[in-house]
Amino acid sequence: ETGVTQTPRHLVMGMTNKKSLKCEQHLGHNAMYWYKQSAKKPLELMFVYNFKEQTENNSVPSRFSPECPNSSHLFLHLHTLQPEDSALYLCASSQGRGGPDTQYFGPGTRLTVL
Amino acid sequence: DQQVKQNSPSLSVQEGRISILNCDYTNSMFDYFLWYKKYPAEGPTFLISISSIKDKNEDGRFTVFLNKSAKHLSLHIVPSQPGDSAVYFCAASPVIGSGNTGKLIFGQGTTLQVKP
């Protein structure tokens, strides 16, 4: 499945580092999402973009900064993270019609913050 | 407060038998429900969905049932196969016009093990 791709698949970073996660969708969708999955917890929505505009920020700390240059690409810029930010970060995309809308996920980036 | 709950963290079933995974929700504004399957080191894969105007949707071995009055949905897998062993998440989406930005609210997941 190459519909939604994410790079890198694994990332280890120190608390003072700056890194970026990349997501690309090849499905012609207009909405893209960032989710966080911590151990033993449900997927938590972080950000939603519809037609390149951010439509949801789920009270995410400012050390996470999303960027959506076009409907096919989504980035998550990371800086001065904390060890508790270690998690699986998932990107998803959907048609973005604002109604019943199935989201398709990428494989995720496993982030470890030392 | 968790709006979508999967109260069984795990389920073990014999190959060929039925697997029933359950999900409860609290928000009456949800009107679209989905099930995803997730293997380790992979992202969730969409399985099947149901709109609140229906009470059943079937796709091959997978059937989702929705009981709106009980705010409960279930996923039936018949017959279960060892390759179905994975974590299953239910998710819910609010109605159009309720500030819905396309967000999904996920349950905690149920780990299904199908034994050969």
Side-chain angles (χ1 to χ4, degrees):
Chain A
E1 173 57 52
T2 57
V4 181
T5 58
Q6 289 186 244
T7 55
R9 293 294 306 276
H10 300 272
L11 178 62
V12 180
M13 60 187 289
M15 289 190 286
T16 58
N17 290 158
K18 288 185 180 180
K19 296 285 184 184
S20 295
L21 310 184
K22 178 183 176 182
C23 175
E24 184 173 359
Q25 60 94 2
H26 310 271
L27 300 169
H29 288 164
N30 298 302
M32 297 189 78
Y33 310 79
W34 279 117
Y35 286 87
K36 174 184 177 183
Q37 187 181 26
S38 304
K40 309 291 185 186
K41 288 187 177 181
L43 276 74
E44 299 173 62
L45 179 68
M46 300 175 73
F47 301 103
V48 180
Y49 278 83
N50 276 281
F51 296 89
K52 302 187 296 178
E53 298 297 321
Q54 188 180 126
T55 53
E56 180 117 10
N57 177 337
N58 201 23
S59 302
V60 181
S62 59
R63 57 186 183 270
F64 295 91
S65 175
E67 179 190 359
C68 188
N70 54 61
S71 293
S72 298
H73 294 87
L74 184 65
F75 296 89
L76 188 63
H77 304 299
L78 316 171
H79 62 99
T80 60
L81 294 192
Q82 305 298 312
E84 58 264 30
D85 296 323
S86 298
L88 180 68
Y89 288 84
L90 290 159
C91 172
S93 71
S94 71
Q95 292 282 359
R97 296 167 298 188
D101 203 12
T102 301
Q103 294 179 22
Y104 296 88
F105 285 82
T109 295
R110 174 67 63 185
L111 174 67
T112 303
V113 181
L114 302 177
Chain B
D1 183 35
Q2 204 164 337
Q3 299 183 68
V4 178
K5 296 181 182 180
Q6 295 175 255
N7 292 316
S8 297
S10 62
L11 174 67
S12 182
V13 171
Q14 207 65 37
E15 180 180 7
R17 307 294 291 268
I18 184 171
S19 295
I20 301 176
L21 298 107
N22 295 302
C23 180
D24 297 294
Y25 62 96
T26 57
N27 192 337
S28 58
M29 296 299 284
F30 291 149
D31 76 337
Y32 186 59
F33 304 89
L34 308 90
W35 283 94
Y36 286 84
K37 177 169 76 172
K38 186 179 183 300
Y39 294 118
E42 295 184 15
T45 302
F46 169 70
L47 268 180
I48 191 169
S49 63
I50 188 166
S51 167
S52 60
I53 61 173
K54 294 186 174 182
D55 54 19
K56 177 183 174 181
N57 189 24
E58 191 173 352
D59 184 1
R61 295 186 298 115
F62 302 91
T63 303
V64 56
F65 294 91
L66 176 62
N67 182 332
K68 289 185 289 293
S69 60
K71 294 190 178 66
H72 177 84
L73 66 156
S74 61
L75 175 68
H76 293 210
I77 307 174
V78 181
S80 301
Q81 300 172 354
D84 296 328
S85 298
V87 180
Y88 289 78
F89 293 95
C90 67
S93 180
V95 301
I96 302 172
S98 64
N100 179 17
T101 56
K103 65 192 291 183
L104 292 179
I105 311 298
F106 282 84
Q108 315 95 301
T110 297
T111 301
L112 173 66
Q113 183 186 24
V114 180
K115 297 179 179 178

